[in-house]
Amino acid sequence: MARHIHIDHNRETALRDAVHVLSSGHPVAIPTETVYGLAADATNPAAIARIYETKGRPQFNPLICHMANIQMAEDHAVFDPISRKLANAFWPGPLTLILPLKPDSQIHALATAGLDTVGIRIPQGFASDLIAAFGKPLAAPSANSSGKISSTSAAHVEVDLGDKVSLILDGGAAPVGVESTILKVETDGSVRLLRPGGLVAEEIERILGLTLARSEKASATIEAPGMLASHYAPGASVRLNAVSVEKDEALIRFGGAAIAGEAHALTVLDLSPTGNLAEAATNLFDHLKTADASGARSIAITSIPETGLGEAINDRLARAAAPRPSTRAS
Ligand code: TXA
Ligand code: MG
């Protein structure tokens, strides 16, 4: 069991003790507005190696480097005018920009997987205060074992990684609930959506006055190397666009309406009874974990609209449902 400190009740202790652990080269689980992150000093190779080890990541995927503010971001990355506009419009917030790494940046190659680009984001609230107190960028993937569902509460982190991390900062339920949107501005000025996420594409397109170029969905070869087809995998198999519940299934629905066979479901959860996509995003990973814990062979999930945050929700669900090496059913 890790030590837990609640950031609202013991903010100063949380900051001080987290800085202490980070300075010793060890990871700390921290709340961000999207999901919980497993954070470590982005300039310290031993600390970054401990992130990979803790998550059991099979290979070195590039990690997002979190900054306290734009000045810190500019110390490490080169901003083109469009990226700058995006940063000004949406930071702090659930947006990651892939930018050229400055040659004199102290971010270690283990965090960027040796690429000449770096994924950067300024998170909202406590996380950026912690980075400011620490004084250096924090590399932080989602705080979950590799391939498993991301954590949106300190309790999720404890269940998954509690025996591997010494300190978990508790900030309550992550308000956004899905990871940041990842964008890359190309040299021709087009803007590519590498991962749909907590910042909705329509809002980005409105600010930029252009349509985002989208990468192929759930492919094993898309640019963000961590974006493998099978990801976010619960133990049970996942069946999408369900219109009825089958034997030994748990049900996750959306919009409050009952579906056929629901009375037999091992558990019935609704992402948002009122059909609110922001609420659905907040509940997504928690409901997947709860449905999985019911011991169901399969989790049936009704269709979710593809608009707004629905794009990120459907992306995560497609990955949760993608074929994978081993499931409880096989
Ligand atoms: O909301 C979030 O983004 C959370 C919180 C903790 O900030 N973090 C997160 O990190 O989701 P992670 O490591 O689970 O996902 C990072 C993604 C991966 O798909 C990785 O391949 C991509 O970002 N990425 C990072 N740096 C990149 C780069 N230089 N080029 C392309 N993709 C990159
Ligand atoms: Mg992740």
Side-chain angles (χ1 to χ4, degrees), residues 10-20 126 129-130 133 169:
N10 294 297
R11 193 179 179 85
E12 293 315 312
T13 310
L15 283 170
R16 191 194 60 221
D17 291 10
V19 166
H20 182 76
F126 178 86
D129 293 345
L130 174 61
L169 301 186

Side-chain angles (χ1 to χ4, degrees), residues 236-239 246-251 291 294-300 329:
S237 61
V238 172
R239 192 166 65 82
E246 292 170 7
K247 193 170 174 294
D248 297 332
E249 280 192 322
L251 172 64
S294 74
R297 169 185 58 81
S298 157
I299 304 170

Side-chain angles (χ1 to χ4, degrees), residues 107-185:
I107 290 174
H108 195 271
L110 262 188
T112 58
L115 298 172
D116 55 8
T117 54
V118 59
I120 285 189
R121 134 173 150 81
I122 300 179
Q124 276 162 13
F126 178 86
S128 56
D129 293 345
L130 174 61
I131 300 162
F134 184 54
K136 289 185 274 185
L138 291 180
S142 49
N144 54 276
S145 303
S146 182
K148 293 281 184 278
I149 299 165
S150 302
S151 297
T152 52
S153 71
H156 291 166
V157 182
E158 177 62 42
V159 168
D160 193 344
L161 301 174
D163 57 348
K164 300 195 182 86
V165 294
S166 63
L167 180 60
I168 298 173
L169 301 186
D170 187 346
V176 175
V178 292
E179 298 85 347
S180 60
T181 300
I182 305 182
L183 296 178
K184 184 178 185 193
V185 178

Side-chain angles (χ1 to χ4, degrees), residues 84-317:
R84 191 176 301 277
K85 185 170 184 179
L86 290 165
N88 288 335
F90 298 116
W91 279 350
L95 170 68
T96 295
L97 294 172
I98 307 300
L99 299 166
L101 185 67
K102 279 197 170 165
D104 60 347
S105 165
Q106 296 301 302
I107 290 174
H108 195 271
L110 262 188
T112 58
L115 298 172
D116 55 8
T117 54
V118 59
I120 285 189
R121 134 173 150 81
I122 300 179
Q124 276 162 13
F126 178 86
S128 56
D129 293 345
L130 174 61
I131 300 162
F134 184 54
K136 289 185 274 185
L138 291 180
S142 49
N144 54 276
S145 303
S146 182
K148 293 281 184 278
I149 299 165
S150 302
S151 297
T152 52
S153 71
H156 291 166
V157 182
E158 177 62 42
V159 168
D160 193 344
L161 301 174
D163 57 348
K164 300 195 182 86
V165 294
S166 63
L167 180 60
I168 298 173
L169 301 186
D170 187 346
V176 175
V178 292
E179 298 85 347
S180 60
T181 300
I182 305 182
L183 296 178
K184 184 178 185 193
V185 178
E186 304 290 0
T187 43
D188 65 3
S190 61
V191 182
R192 282 215 297 146
L193 179 65
L194 295 180
R195 177 176 76 181
L199 177 64
V200 306
E202 289 91 331
E203 219 178 308
I204 301 163
E205 292 176 334
R206 193 172 50 76
I207 291 279
L208 293 179
L210 55 74
T211 305
L212 296 178
R214 281 166 165 78
S215 304
E216 239 176 78
K217 283 191 182 161
S219 129
T221 55
I222 52 177
E223 178 157 335
M227 298 291 285
L228 303 175
S230 173
H231 213 73
Y232 307 98
S237 61
V238 172
R239 192 166 65 82
L240 302 180
N241 302 315
V243 291
S244 63
V245 180
E246 292 170 7
K247 193 170 174 294
D248 297 332
E249 280 192 322
L251 172 64
I252 298 179
R253 55 170 157 73
F254 174 79
I259 68 167
E262 204 177 277
H264 316 294
L266 293 183
T267 185
V268 178
L269 302 157
D270 203 311
L271 290 169
S272 170
T274 60
N276 179 318
L277 286 166
E279 182 183 27
T282 301
N283 288 328
L284 179 65
F285 293 139
D286 186 69
H287 282 10
L288 279 170
K289 285 175 199 253
T290 303
D292 202 25
S294 74
R297 169 185 58 81
S298 157
I299 304 170
I301 307 181
T302 62
S303 71
I304 314 286
E306 181 65 9
T307 53
L309 281 169
E311 186 176 9
I313 295 170
N314 284 319
D315 172 85
R316 303 306 186 270
L317 288 175

